[in-house]
Amino acid sequence: MLDVGKWPVFALLPPEELRLIRQACVFGSAANEAIYVTVDDEVFALGTNCSGSLGLGDMQSTIEPRRIDILCGKKIVSLSYGTGPHVVIATADGEVYAWGHNGYSQLGNGTTNHGLTPALVSTNLITKRVTEVACGSHHTIALTTEGEVYAWGYNNSGQVGSGSTANQPTPRRVSSCLQNKVVVNIACGQLCSMAVLDNGETYGWGYNCNGQLGLGNNGNQQTPCRIAALQGISIVQVACGYAHTLALTDEGIVYSWGANSYGQLGTGNKSNQAVPTLINIDKERMVEVAACHTSHTSAAKTQSGQVLMWGQCRGQAVASPHITHFTSTDDVFACFATPAVTWHLLSVDGDDYLTVAQSLKREFDSPEISDLKFLVDGKCIHVHKALLKIRCEHFRALLNETDEETIEIHQFSYLVYRAFLEYLYTDTINLPPEDAIGLLDLATYYRESRLKRLCQETIKRGITEENAITLLSAAVKYEARDLEEFCFKFCVNHLTAVTQTQAFADMDHDLLKNFISKASRYGAFKN
């Protein structure tokens, strides 16, 4: 479990208060300001309160947590802060609130007066639902459900993407070449902004003297510019440090570019890079990259949960990725970054006792109190009739008709059937993508629609150039439309490599014909 107590600002909170925290953010020039949300969705703040950034209505520092009444019950889904400092949040209803330093209109209310309490940012956003916010040092960008980006605040280097360097007093749509495009992820460096599109393209704008936009030059950009060097590479997440950028591909590979004086690019040296550079992490697939615009520290997490870090480490330079003993990238910033602030909104799961779900999970395939076993491929799986009846309609019908204590299964493999039964106990599946295809077959057969969805997500996370055609074929066979579309797009985005695989050579004739026809309509064969 994530331990918010690792952040010194929380050190004086009694343990019973710490246990109630479900979301938290630590910010400030010395990591001495914090906002947190409790299990009851109450919002509290404590710390130095520089520029009124705690949102308490005054500028008094406080060692005792004080409630921010206006935010209680709002359900915060995204939070970011600038170094002014100013703080911006998005709520579950899609509203945006901002407060704190406002010398450059970074609160988006048309003035330069500091905001001592959270205020709704309404201009141009009143009909929009915002899902994500990101702050640079003194500017703010917001992403809407429609994939539009709005920006406001400090603009000396073009970081609000308006085509000029005049500060932007209220939210303004970032259009230019993002017009008619759907953005799915945003991030800010100190003075720059980044956006990832739904097709995997990445755009940057703003300050670029360290090459942090990845455009191959050091000129500032006043409007979004596509990173041409990532052509054909599908990005799913970007994270910005002070003056460097990390990007994660759909295959779990990490690229970096920008400033590198602390080795924050992970290239093994300290030379700046103006174009995306592949980080040679000789490990498994990465699932998350992490950086924060207040520091020169980088982190990443692997599929199996290993956490790596590089860059500035308590003032020292670490030029290559190192494995840590941590279980989350958040811990890297708590222990190594300067200042030790959070890189995003922390989420904490309470685990003080075993819930019903945890208790059931523990009893799966445990022979002590089970009253039924399945025999698959000569191996036993121990289960409980009552739970199976509650969780699955197929078993409710089957077990009402039989008193057998052992049921033999021939249609599915042991691995697949065990994963299915375990899912009934845990609500999760833990299979490699190729085996998840077999589970998808079972989910279709038993009409388990949620399991079908989970299988599709597992397959999506594990797709590679090597197995993409196999997964596409399975999606077509089991009529998983969403998965079929995902696999198809992946194949088109990696067309050259995919067509050279054995799976492509062995592809079913009708499927191949349909694939070529659809890929052609998609524009895959245009020069």
Side-chain angles (χ1 to χ4, degrees):
M1 180 178 127
L2 184 68
D3 176 16
V4 293
K6 283 193 174 86
W7 275 268
V9 71
F10 290 122
L12 288 175
L13 258 60
E16 58 273 17
E17 182 72 17
L18 282 175
R19 278 198 292 270
L20 295 176
I21 294 176
R22 287 296 169 265
Q23 291 173 299
C25 176
V26 177
F27 58 101
S29 57
N32 49 5
E33 299 178 282
I35 290 168
Y36 66 88
V37 185
T38 69
V39 283
D40 300 320
D41 209 28
E42 290 193 309
V43 185
F44 291 88
L46 72 159
T48 52
N49 205 10
C50 178
S51 301
S53 59
L54 296 186
L56 297 167
D58 56 45
M59 294 174 74
Q60 301 296 311
S61 65
T62 174
I63 206 163
E64 293 277 330
R66 288 170 55 193
R67 187 187 282 104
I68 310 175
D69 292 322
I70 192 172
L71 296 183
C72 291
K74 288 283 182 195
K75 297 209 182 320
I76 297 170
V77 294
S78 179
L79 184 153
S80 191
Y81 55 84
T83 48
H86 74 291
V87 181
V88 183
I89 66 159
T91 70
D93 290 335
E95 293 180 329
V96 177
Y97 288 82
W99 63 95
H101 190 279
N102 195 32
Y104 301 93
S105 300
Q106 59 264 49
L107 301 187
N109 60 18
T111 77
T112 52
N113 306 325
H114 295 341
L116 298 182
T117 52
L120 188 65
V121 183
S122 55
T123 307
N124 297 333
L125 292 180
I126 207 72
T127 60
K128 304 289 177 183
R129 285 175 68 94
V130 169
T131 56
E132 192 180 349
V133 289
C135 297
S137 64
H138 300 88
H139 78 288
T140 309
I141 63 176
L143 176 63
T144 72
T145 49
E146 288 137 358
E148 301 169 333
V149 178
Y150 284 78
W152 59 95
Y154 195 34
N155 193 34
N156 66 331
S157 307
Q159 58 265 48
V160 303
S162 60
S164 78
T165 52
N167 292 347
Q168 180 61 38
T170 53
R172 176 192 171 279
R173 169 97 191 269
V174 181
S175 48
S176 170
C177 55
L178 291 186
Q179 192 79 35
N180 304 321
K181 302 240 172 43
V182 176
V183 174
V184 293
N185 177 234
I186 55 173
C188 288
Q190 277 278 297
L191 299 166
C192 70
S193 307
M194 303 292 303
V196 178
L197 302 191
D198 61 347
N199 66 1
E201 289 180 353
T202 306
Y203 286 73
W205 60 98
Y207 189 74
N208 192 34
C209 287
N210 297 289
Q212 56 261 62
L213 299 185
L215 304 174
N217 59 49
N218 295 105
N220 294 349
Q221 289 290 328
Q222 294 175 11
T223 54
C225 192
R226 185 170 67 84
I227 301 179
L230 291 174
Q231 176 77 37
I233 296 164
S234 189
I235 301 299
V236 291
Q237 186 214 343
V238 288
C240 294
Y242 187 93
H244 76 287
T245 309
L246 305 174
L248 178 69
T249 76
D250 60 352
E251 292 194 279
I253 295 163
V254 180
Y255 285 83
S256 63
W257 58 91
N260 198 26
S261 53
Y262 285 94
Q264 61 264 47
L265 299 187
T267 54
N269 59 48
K270 296 183 187 176
S271 305
N272 290 5
Q273 295 288 340
V275 291
T277 306
L278 185 64
I279 299 182
N280 185 20
I281 302 174
D282 190 22
K283 301 282 176 296
E284 67 202 293
R285 178 182 201 119
M286 297 292 145
V287 293
E288 180 181 76
V289 287
C292 179
H293 73 269
T294 57
S295 69
H296 310 289
T297 303
S298 301
K301 189 174 184 175
T302 71
Q303 196 157 23
S304 70
Q306 282 190 318
V307 173
L308 298 99
M309 74 81 55
W310 60 97
Q312 191 178 32
C313 174
R314 292 186 177 170
Q316 301 295 306
V318 177
S320 297
H322 274 58
I323 293 176
T324 68
H325 62 276
F326 300 135
T327 55
S328 87
T329 53
D330 302 305
D331 292 343
V332 169
F333 292 86
C335 298
F336 294 146
T338 309
V341 295
T342 52
W343 73 274
H344 65 165
L345 181 64
L346 301 178
S347 288
V348 183
D349 291 322
D351 66 349
D352 298 334
Y353 62 96
L354 281 182
T355 61
V356 173
Q358 288 163 334
S359 301
L360 292 176
K361 188 175 182 176
R362 183 183 273 187
E363 291 305 321
F364 171 66
D365 202 12
S366 166
E368 283 82 19
I369 57 166
S370 72
D371 56 358
L372 176 68
K373 60 186 179 200
F374 284 94
L375 197 58
V376 194
D377 298 342
K379 297 179 205 164
C380 279
I381 309 164
H382 298 270
V383 290
H384 306 78
K385 289 179 184 176
L387 183 131
L388 264 52
K389 285 182 184 180
I390 291 167
R391 294 281 286 147
C392 175
E393 219 152 296
H394 165 79
F395 286 129
R396 191 174 308 166
L398 176 74
L399 296 174
N400 280 340
E401 292 170 7
T402 178
D403 287 326
E404 297 278 331
E405 286 183 11
T406 303
I407 297 176
E408 279 192 52
I409 298 293
H410 302 288
Q411 193 177 348
F412 301 102
S413 71
Y414 171 80
L415 188 72
V416 163
Y417 213 76
R418 191 178 195 282
F420 169 50
L421 293 172
E422 190 172 9
Y423 158 77
L424 296 178
Y425 279 74
T426 64
D427 264 336
T428 58
I429 58 173
N430 186 20
L431 281 176
E434 290 79 5
D435 293 319
I437 292 173
L439 191 55
L440 182 62
D441 183 13
L442 183 149
T444 309
Y445 181 75
Y446 284 164
R447 296 182 180 172
E448 287 284 334
S449 53
R450 184 178 179 274
L451 178 58
K452 198 170 171 179
R453 228 174 25 249
L454 280 179
C455 290
Q456 291 182 51
E457 284 165 21
T458 299
I459 292 167
K460 283 180 183 180
R461 280 201 302 273
I463 195 167
T464 63
E465 291 166 352
E466 219 37 62
N467 67 16
I469 289 295
T470 308
L471 302 182
L472 175 65
S473 306
V476 172
K477 180 179 174 184
Y478 301 121
E479 298 181 345
R481 300 274 178 254
D482 177 52
L483 178 62
E484 180 184 338
E485 193 59 25
F486 177 89
C487 293
F488 170 76
K489 280 187 177 170
F490 183 93
C491 290
V492 169
N493 286 339
H494 301 267
L495 195 58
T496 306
V498 166
T499 53
Q500 290 167 357
T501 62
Q502 189 57 43
F504 187 85
D506 299 337
M507 201 172 177
D508 170 75
H509 179 71
D510 285 342
L511 186 62
L512 177 63
K513 209 163 72 176
N514 288 341
F515 176 81
I516 290 170
S517 166
K518 191 174 174 185
S520 174
R521 290 198 303 277
Y522 198 77
F525 305 115
K526 288 180 184 168
N527 288 331

